[in-house]
Amino acid sequence: MRPSSARLLNILVPIKRSIDYAVKIRVNPQQTGVETNVKHSMNPFDEIGVEEAVRLREKLKDAVKNITVVTIGPTKANEMLRTALAMGADKGIHIEIPETLSPEPLGVAKALKEVVNKEKPDLVILGKQAIDDDAGQTGQMLAGLMGWSQATFASKVEVDEPRGVVTVTREVDGGLQKVECKLPAIVTTDLRLNEPRYTSLPNIMKAKKKPIEKLSAEELGVDLRPRLETVKVTEPPKRKGGAKVESVDELVAKLKEAGVA
Amino acid sequence: MQRIALRRVSGCMRAAHSQSRMISSSRRLAAPTSLHTFTEEEQMLREAVRRFAKEEVEPKVREMDENESMDPKIIQGLFEQGLMGIETSADHGGSDASFTSAIVAIEELAKIDPSVSVMCDVHNTLVNTIFRKYGTDAQKDRWLPMLAENKLGSFCLSEPASGSDAFALQTRAVKDGNDWVINGSKMWITNSYEAEIFLIFANVDPSKGYKGITCFVATKDMGIKIAKKEQKLGIRASSTCTLNFDDLRIPEENIIGGIGKGYKLAIEILNEGRIGIAAQMIGLAQGAFDKAVPYTYERKQFGQAIGTFQGMAFQIAEAAIEIEAARLLTYNAARRKEEGLPFTKEAAMAKYYASVVAQKVSGSAIEWAGGVGFTRETGIEKFWRDSKIGAIYEGTSNIQLNTIAKFIQKEYS
């Protein structure tokens, strides 16, 4: 159990380097995945996570002791870590893996568990899912591995630092749900939680001096090899053209023709 | 495999303004790298400005152009992003970044709106640089923080009777006690409508010809009168006004660089400014290209995407070549400046060529998009209108050619 007095918050924000959301993705000729020689950037939900951590610091001021960002990615992911530092994180951890390796949620969660044991954060903020695999599992798995509370799909996060509690408004199918979790806890971000800031030039320059620690999966004792084999990836069938109708009657007639109405 | 960007040794940040290439302390010697080499910060800046321009500026471009007016929120946004004190030291509230960083920012802004780009360019490469290079410590302490934080600057040299022949300017400054009293007019002044800080070039002693020209700094509330705001063909959102000085009183301490030094100051500063304009022009060309070319791969005629017809493909390829060539001229001139090498000729070449390419590519972009390119709705035609000024301001194309020719004559005869 953690002492409940004079807690200073350590926040850990795992981030993933994924294909930029604006890229027109194409299936690769081998049909094993998409073409990856395209622009990559920080997973948008993870960016929201970094932003939320920085906002928590702006709100709680000195109560937030440290914001660390961590990524499991190839050498190029370093740039993304710098961007997170420029947004306001204090330090980065880079678990370097070969570019050909795409870690799976359970492997990532296991690696993050080791990082959590090392860094001892009070709050871990992850994106709800990565926009490349849309798995939506890592945060939940990490909570399971750690035995911590989890509040996923957050659209609002409030930390009561003296009480050691985080109150999260979750977006669920039926509407909004409010949960209160004792720290330490896992939160995953949803789209409406915040709008990430642009990295201003003075902050970009400051980010140069912030440290990035390099770790390897071996050092952490984690096996990141995939357990799943992707058999085939194809494009969805091309949209067939529709037709314009002039009136509601015509619409109903056409729907009847198509056997739908 | 990406080339290692040459990193600054952290203790030498300030001194690195004129020498940004430091030999990395690793085993690797300073192998020359391609002109596509940027520091991590410059790359991050490019990405940040690209996003800001796309999300904050782009939605307002058409409206600002139609209304011939700059949205104050955009000016504020540029200040908030640290883009108005790019090279200014951190002590003075700036971003302490390289000259090339300014060029990167100007280029990225121009891809979305050349009007916003020129505002940022003039403020950084002309106004800020004058204070940084020629200001006394007291002047730097006083003016640079304001310019970095929220006050827009303006550079006032041209007059109704003096453009290319800049030093035939007629604005007069007469000493009166501890002040100088300025009378005259300036014309074609960028940023003037929104600016609060003005650098005014006036002659204190016409008998000395250009050697009497002196640079004064004034604030709007000292009594600068903004007269006519020009209605222009392009960069309409960028304010271009006539200024009148009617017994404008400026204290002696507001002279920058010393009495009679205005000529030298202006010439040197305009050299750097030229690279800024080149950056604006290449951004403009790229912006037009980026709008029109994807359209050519979607628009089908005769059962085929028009961009895939060989004739079109060849034109598109040539445009890409020209943009790349202009870009390399621009970035090389910028790096030469950072390295402390002479760059006057290269800057003139970059500005001249970039303005030519901007006109050509933006014109082609309209044609590639056909009728749609001709309407104001898609914003392609705006680039063509905006490009024309490239051949005119901060040294007309003929002046650039003149400058380059003089270098060649010196070298070859």
Side-chain angles (χ1 to χ4, degrees):
Chain A
M1 276 305 286
R2 288 165 177 271
S4 56
S5 60
R7 149 179 276 129
L8 288 176
L9 288 179
N10 282 330
I11 307 181
L12 182 69
V13 186
I15 58 180
K16 183 179 184 183
R17 177 178 180 262
S18 49
I19 295 180
D20 188 85
Y21 77 92
V23 168
K24 280 202 185 119
I25 49 171
R26 262 185 265 266
V27 177
N28 64 25
Q30 303 83 14
Q31 292 195 324
T32 53
V34 297
E35 282 191 356
T36 51
N37 192 13
V38 292
K39 181 164 183 234
H40 282 66
S41 51
M42 201 188 305
N43 179 38
F45 293 107
D46 301 346
E47 212 182 338
I48 291 174
V50 176
E51 175 67 23
E52 194 60 23
V54 176
R55 285 193 191 192
L56 280 171
R57 168 176 271 154
E58 283 169 353
K59 199 153 167 228
L60 303 174
K61 308 222 186 334
D62 291 335
V64 173
K65 188 165 150 218
N66 181 284
I67 301 173
T68 299
V69 286
V70 55
T71 195
I72 301 169
T75 316
K76 289 185 206 169
N78 204 61
E79 275 172 47
M80 179 195 64
L81 281 171
R82 280 281 165 222
T83 302
L85 295 174
M87 283 174 75
D90 302 310
K91 82 166 202 236
I93 298 175
H94 189 176
I95 301 169
E96 247 185 276
I97 54 172
E99 201 161 344
T100 46
L101 176 59
S102 270
E104 291 165 2
L106 186 55
V108 173
K110 286 182 178 171
L112 288 178
K113 174 172 177 233
E114 298 309 315
V115 175
V116 167
N117 286 337
K118 189 171 167 292
E119 299 291 315
K120 305 202 193 317
D122 305 278
L123 188 59
V124 184
I125 309 178
L126 301 94
K128 72 170 180 181
Q129 67 201 60
I131 61 171
D132 47 15
D133 57 19
D134 285 319
Q137 300 166 16
T138 308
Q140 293 88 329
M141 285 176 171
L142 179 61
L145 289 171
M146 297 301 306
W148 288 8
S149 330
Q150 57 177 282
T152 54
F153 318 127
S155 66
K156 193 163 180 205
V157 172
E158 284 156 314
V159 173
D160 187 337
E161 191 265 324
R163 278 180 60 217
V165 147
V166 59
T167 308
V168 177
T169 305
R170 307 178 58 222
E171 293 196 351
V172 296
D173 286 341
L176 297 175
Q177 182 192 58
K178 217 168 179 179
V179 297
E180 195 181 86
C181 306
K182 284 210 195 72
L183 296 178
I186 308 279
V187 170
T188 73
T189 69
D190 210 327
L191 197 61
R192 278 157 287 279
L193 177 55
N194 63 46
E195 226 180 280
R197 62 196 60 202
Y198 302 108
T199 47
S200 73
L201 184 51
N203 287 334
I204 290 175
M205 300 306 283
K206 280 186 207 150
K208 259 203 302 203
K209 303 190 187 116
K210 296 182 182 176
I212 294 182
E213 193 187 329
K214 298 251 192 247
L215 290 175
S216 69
E218 292 78 45
E219 275 175 79
L220 295 175
V222 175
D223 178 6
L224 290 175
R225 283 173 304 166
R227 304 319 197 234
L228 301 172
E229 183 197 340
T230 303
V231 174
K232 190 172 179 191
V233 177
T234 52
E235 277 185 26
K238 289 251 185 301
R239 274 186 71 180
K240 292 200 195 76
K244 268 195 170 153
V245 295
E246 293 300 310
S247 68
V248 174
D249 291 336
E250 205 188 327
L251 173 63
V252 172
K254 290 225 179 222
L255 287 173
K256 282 196 173 137
E257 256 177 58
V260 176
Chain B
M1 197 54 217
Q2 82 186 43
R3 310 259 178 117
I4 294 288
L6 295 167
R7 261 182 228 92
R8 291 184 194 180
V9 175
S10 59
C12 304
M13 282 265 275
R14 254 3 142 67
H17 275 303
S18 58
Q19 183 100 22
S20 80
R21 299 247 170 132
M22 302 294 286
I23 296 180
S24 156
S25 56
S26 75
R27 238 170 20 94
R28 193 190 304 258
L29 294 174
T33 59
S34 77
L35 295 174
H36 288 175
T37 307
F38 294 95
T39 65
E40 201 173 27
E41 294 73 46
E42 286 161 357
Q43 286 174 49
M44 285 170 70
L45 176 62
R46 186 183 288 284
E47 193 48 46
V49 178
R50 179 176 293 168
R51 274 178 89 169
F52 174 80
K54 190 114 189 105
E55 289 166 27
E56 301 297 320
V57 180
E58 196 170 41
K60 301 185 171 157
V61 172
R62 175 129 188 245
E63 192 188 323
M64 295 198 296
D65 185 59
E66 300 277 329
N67 295 338
E68 296 188 271
S69 151
M70 183 69 69
D71 188 326
K73 286 220 177 70
I74 288 185
I75 307 180
Q76 188 187 352
L78 291 179
F79 277 109
E80 281 167 4
Q81 296 304 312
L83 298 175
M84 298 300 250
I86 294 178
E87 292 176 85
T88 303
S89 74
D91 291 347
H92 289 127
S95 305
D96 222 343
S98 64
F99 177 69
T100 300
S101 302
I103 299 304
V104 165
I106 294 164
E107 184 192 357
E108 288 302 320
L109 287 171
K111 286 180 187 174
I112 299 295
D113 191 348
S115 299
V116 175
S117 175
V118 74
M119 176 172 68
C120 181
D121 165 64
V122 166
H123 186 92
N124 276 289
T125 67
L126 299 183
V127 181
N128 280 347
T129 306
I130 284 187
F131 286 100
R132 281 188 313 108
K133 270 181 110 163
Y134 305 104
T136 60
D137 285 341
Q139 287 170 334
K140 287 186 213 179
D141 289 345
R142 181 169 171 207
W143 299 98
L144 285 174
M146 284 193 265
L147 288 164
E149 197 182 336
N150 54 15
K151 298 216 187 303
L152 187 63
S154 182
F155 180 87
C156 313
L157 178 63
S158 296
E159 296 181 2
S162 58
S164 294
D165 192 5
F167 305 110
L169 63 86
Q170 293 181 3
T171 298
R172 278 280 279 132
V174 176
K175 193 98 194 270
D176 180 25
N178 209 31
D179 294 339
W180 289 83
V181 178
I182 300 200
N183 278 287
S185 270
K186 294 291 178 186
M187 199 169 176
W188 312 119
I189 307 305
T190 301
N191 290 354
S192 44
Y193 196 73
E194 298 87 5
E196 291 180 64
I197 295 176
F198 296 79
L199 287 168
I200 302 169
F201 289 83
N203 201 323
V204 305
D205 187 354
S207 72
K208 291 203 176 111
Y210 67 84
K211 291 191 182 152
I213 296 175
T214 305
C215 179
F216 295 86
V217 53
T219 52
K220 189 148 172 197
D221 53 18
M222 284 176 177
I224 297 175
K225 295 193 178 64
I226 315 277
K228 184 183 179 205
K229 187 175 176 189
E230 302 291 347
Q231 290 173 310
K232 307 189 296 292
L233 168 67
I235 55 164
R236 286 158 51 117
S238 161
S239 61
T240 309
C241 304
T242 296
L243 305 178
N244 288 327
F245 314 121
D246 193 5
D247 285 341
L248 176 69
R249 198 162 266 277
I250 300 184
E252 169 101 12
E253 71 207 15
N254 283 21
I255 291 180
I256 311 277
I259 295 180
K261 297 286 190 295
Y263 166 77
K264 181 171 177 288
L265 202 149
I267 291 246
E268 285 176 14
I269 219 74
L270 285 170
N271 247 346
E272 296 187 23
R274 237 143 250 183
I275 305 176
I277 297 299
Q280 181 207 23
M281 289 293 127
I282 60 175
L284 185 161
Q286 191 67 59
F289 187 92
D290 290 350
K291 260 200 197 284
V293 170
Y295 175 81
T296 67
Y297 299 137
E298 281 169 25
R299 169 76 174 178
K300 287 198 166 86
Q301 292 285 271
F302 309 110
Q304 182 177 345
I306 60 174
T308 59
F309 286 118
Q310 200 171 54
M312 286 285 287
F314 283 6
Q315 287 172 22
I316 292 170
E318 282 195 23
I321 297 170
E322 287 168 345
I323 299 175
E324 180 69 1
R327 179 174 290 131
L328 296 177
L329 276 171
T330 305
Y331 280 102
N332 197 46
R335 291 299 190 200
R336 282 185 69 92
K337 180 200 167 305
E338 282 180 358
E339 287 169 36
L341 298 171
F343 63 93
T344 308
K345 183 177 75 166
E346 290 76 9
M349 288 177 158
K351 195 260 184 188
Y352 170 81
Y353 192 61
S355 66
V356 166
V357 169
Q359 261 266 272
K360 189 155 177 255
V361 172
S362 58
S364 297
I366 297 178
E367 289 180 42
W368 297 335
V372 156
F374 198 68
T375 65
R376 300 215 292 278
E377 206 173 327
T378 48
I380 298 176
E381 55 78 41
K382 178 180 177 292
F383 285 107
W384 190 66
R385 285 189 287 110
D386 288 349
S387 70
K388 200 68 209 169
I389 193 64
I392 298 172
Y393 64 5
E394 288 211 36
T396 65
S397 290
N398 285 344
I399 293 290
Q400 305 304 337
L401 290 173
N402 208 39
T403 302
I404 299 165
K406 283 200 188 132
F407 274 101
I408 297 173
Q409 279 167 25
K410 210 167 167 188
E411 206 184 325
Y412 280 76
S413 62

